[in-house]
Amino acid sequence: MAIDETTVRKVARLARIALPEARVPAMAKEISGILSWIEQLNEVDVEGVEPMTSAVEGAALPMRQDVVTDGDNPQRVLANAPKAEDGFFVVPKVVE
Amino acid sequence: MTALDIRAARPDQRVRGGASDWEIIIGLEVHAQVSSQAKLFSGASAAYGGEPNAHVSLVDAAMPGMLPVINKYCVEQAIRTGLGLKAQINEVSRFDRKNYFYPDLPQGYQISQYQHPIVGEGEVEIDGDDGEPIIVRIERLHLEQDAGKSIHDLSPKETFVDLNRAGVALMEIVSRPDMRSSKEAGAYFNKLRSILRALGTCDGNMEEGSMRADVNVSVRRPGEPFGTRCEIKNVNSVRFMAQAIEYEARRQIDVLESGGRIDQETRLFDPDKGETRTMRSKEDAHDYRYFPDPDLLPLVLEPHWIEDVRATLPELPDEKKKRFMSAYSLSAYDAGVLSGDTASATYFETVAKGRDAKLAANWVTQELFGALNKMGVDLADSPVSAAHLGALIDLIADGTINGKIAKDVFAKMLESGDAPGVIVEREGLRQVTDTGAIEKAIDDLIAANPDKVAEVKEKPKALGWWVGQTIKATGGKANPQIVNQILKEKLGI
């Protein structure tokens, strides 16, 4: 499966990855290569087999009780924030 | 494949355009916050408010290596709500990542349920615009995380982010496009709210954003297939919902009638201007690249858990309404008003117990609700308790006071919160059944009004004046039946 340059730019934007225009052709070629390698899996017949979304089988989803056990520590939450003020994270302005 | 288009709008629901009439097609996605203590996947508090970032765990802040663990109570509330919506409960469901970037979503994805929701198809019955019941089909209900809050007006160049809401459990309840007017959409939203409140799975508090709706609106000429829809995000009151639908339908009709095309897009309702406007550029919208969340195993429900929840379901508003109509002979309207929320229903049933139910319903819906409405007070804070209102009705029934005095006593109960019996004794409002006092009042009236005596003999209808004057002369306390009887004897009619 070949990925064209438009798709590469779109995927980069969706993933918020800055991709210099000069690298787009090489990236398209690289991703196309990876995809065609993965495409070999299409040779396997999976008719009637449930898609496997987890490597864990037979285990139940662990659950927690509805009890407050965490929080009340904004300093800890904000410790690595590039910028914080009055308990808020501060980021460059985003307006829809 | 489920049929999407099952209803044409009634002719009176159509909207007039320049060249033809149009139908409005509406579907709702309601986000209802689960009334839990902790968040969906972390142990941080789900309470409203709090200091910024105080209700945040490192899971909610999406620190590397943190893993989500699901809150069992939230799962149970989704099951309960599904059962209340007469919906199918899926014994196996799954969580997916919905990928998008926004500063109030630190994970870079929302954990939601895309292909395999916990609850499937159900239905909600609403009263249509003409009073006839309408079924609004539920497509699905799924569990998902709320996002944090972005504040844009604290700094000109920066956005402030509070993650207290991030990770709070939401139930997204998706309807089929079965509504045909803003009124029907409002009726559906209100009905959903009363069901959730009766179930106790969501507090329905709109001021705190516990219930919000995304509204899908499209228009078509009668007989045509559905048009392209626009989604109006985050409408947080029924009034705004009606405004947003009316505005958006008109906008779409204007575009189509002038030869334009509707682009499927997400729009925002501006309550100040009363209009909707484009919110997201179409390019990136709905490209969420869903995939199963590898941090979470499938959610498998034991059938006995579902049955245990079913066994504890309360009486729902529809059932309650039917019971009020059959057990208390109430009108559909009164039964609807009184069964709409648990507090009203409990209050009414306390007042009605062992008394004339219709009289009780009248006092509760008209006198009490009317007064509370005027005072801007909730039923929970009513100065008149159900026991006191019941006692007032007893005083009317046993002839201690008449209906007119009862209204005065009720006004004093609202002011003071005192029991009606106390007020009646304190103010000397006992009904006068002493025929001597009534006879004296009537004799005085006859002596003073010879012309009226002549008149009433001609026109027996003029008796009303005499009854009114006699009761007035006794300070409003005379028993009207006794007054009537003595007047007729004395005036010879």
Side-chain angles (χ1 to χ4, degrees), chain B residues 82-100:
Chain B
L83 294 172
L85 299 174
K86 303 180 180 68
Q88 174 202 334
I89 309 298
N90 294 323
E91 287 178 18
V92 180
S93 65
R94 205 175 65 192
F95 288 94
D96 299 290
R97 292 184 177 181
K98 178 180 180 179
N99 298 279
Y100 69 95

Side-chain angles (χ1 to χ4, degrees), chain A residues 10 64 69 72 83 87 93-94, chain B residues 38 43 53-54 70 152 158 287:
Chain A
K10 186 183 173 203
R64 65 165 69 241
T69 55
D72 261 333
K83 189 170 179 193
K93 190 132 192 151
V94 272
Chain B
N53 290 305
I70 198 165
H152 302 294
E158 288 160 324
D287 201 346

